[in-house]
Amino acid sequence: MELADLGGFAVDLGGTKIAAARIDSGRVVERLLAATDGMAGPEAQMDAMAGLLTRLGHTAGAPLGVGVAGRIDGAGRWCAVNRDTLSAIDGFALQDALRDRLGAATCCNDAAAAALAEARFGAGRDARNFAYLTVSTGIGGGIVLGGRLIESENGLAGHAGFVTSRHAEGPCGSGRRDTVESVAGGRGIAAAAAARGHPGQDARAVIEAAKSGAAWAEDIVATSARAVASLIGDLAAILGLDGVAVGGSIGLAQGYLDRVRASLADEPPLFRPALQAAALGHDGPLLGALALHFAKVSR
């Protein structure tokens, strides 16, 4: 399928916000945003998504792709991996609920959706083995090898943010310790700021403070970027990557990718795949979720 063939609706439910879009000829022609209630149960999350779609003119049966933070297993059940992000999501039958309420719909992890979109239509078009990393509230990811999105029965494939990092120290909401997400994601950045005597500063505020020259903030953001660069080197070693794209609200923040690129330069050349900003920006998860819907219904 070409990008211009995509038409329908899509939702991207992340740790901080929900985006819903109407897509025509591969373009997001209308988009609505709402804050994600991280404490809400699955039915309330369904209500929030359905409300946005109704405002966009979605009707039951219209093509719909839904990308969500967390993992979607082979049976379409939705589970949070980091329970600090979506605390009440634990095994909800999302695929069945979407079809019952909204008709034709496919659900997937939001970063996996973005990886598929970038591989087919964006930054990964020239790569055979490609990874997408989103640096946002957490660290998500998706992997496309030989043109195929890597999926697993337990839905964990691509969750690269939960690997351990030499730059991290402390617990992660996944239950693991010393993960990339715990030090590089938005929650980790905010926690690091609080630990340094700057409570109430979210990741955006820390990044702005770093731009203004605050040494404490620069150190936190630089550590985040180093952890992401090390992760890219590790993925290159395991998967033989040709290319990597970085997206997300932090990943696309001014200057962040330059920091990652500078840290990646410390790796030997063999472990430095081509690194780009996500070409599709914040549209990637939406376009990828809808593309995956069409791919699955045509099987």
Side-chain angles (χ1 to χ4, degrees), residues 36-51:
T36 301
D37 181 353
M39 304 294 289
E43 295 294 348
Q45 304 288 9
M46 284 285 299
D47 289 343
M49 291 188 283

Side-chain angles (χ1 to χ4, degrees), residues 28-54:
V28 173
V29 295
E30 188 174 5
R31 183 199 318 265
L32 296 173
L33 299 174
T36 301
D37 181 353
M39 304 294 289
E43 295 294 348
Q45 304 288 9
M46 284 285 299
D47 289 343
M49 291 188 283
L52 293 175
L53 288 167
T54 297

